[in-house]
Amino acid sequence: GIIVFCFAGHPCFPVVHECMKDPSGWRCSVGVTFVLAFMYYGGLGVFGYLVFGKDLQASVTSNLELLPQARIFRHISAIAFVVKIQLTAPLLIN
């Protein structure tokens, strides 16, 4: 779920490429960005597995329901997701 959504930014690639001051750096910037995103989401997945073990669901945020003390983190993750969508929208509209 989340890992697939992470790499679904392809529709905005042409716009970003067109707006670059130096388009020759496109390959390097995309490669570095994808590696960083993979490390971030992969690390989050490993951390989720270490915390929840075999009870880990497809979305780590679904597991937060199992921890009563993590209620605030569910709200923070929902707000962060909304902010991410709001910040991505202008790139798709351009």
Side-chain angles (χ1 to χ4, degrees), residues 42-62:
L44 186 63
V46 168
F47 180 70
Y49 183 76
L50 292 174
V51 172
F52 297 106
K54 294 188 187 279
D55 294 329
L56 181 64
Q57 297 176 17
S59 177
V60 175
T61 54
S62 299

Side-chain angles (χ1 to χ4, degrees), residues 5 75-90:
F5 182 76
H75 294 298
I76 290 172
S77 65
I79 291 168
F81 189 70
V82 169
V83 168
K84 179 195 183 300
I85 290 172
Q86 294 299 319
L87 294 175
T88 304

Side-chain angles (χ1 to χ4, degrees), residues 2-3 6 34-46:
I2 292 175
I3 194 82
C6 164
F34 271 70
V35 167
L36 290 174
F38 178 77
M39 288 173 33
Y40 174 77
Y41 284 101
L44 186 63
V46 168

Side-chain angles (χ1 to χ4, degrees), residues 62-80:
S62 299
N63 287 92
L64 294 179
E65 296 174 2
L66 304 174
L67 302 174
Q69 66 272 24
R71 183 182 188 122
I72 187 72
F73 294 113
R74 287 192 352 235
H75 294 298
I76 290 172
S77 65
I79 291 168

Side-chain angles (χ1 to χ4, degrees), residues 14-28:
V15 175
V16 173
H17 182 267
E18 203 57 37
C19 295
M20 288 180 73
K21 287 183 182 179
D22 181 18
S24 65
W26 174 254
R27 266 181 124 62
C28 180

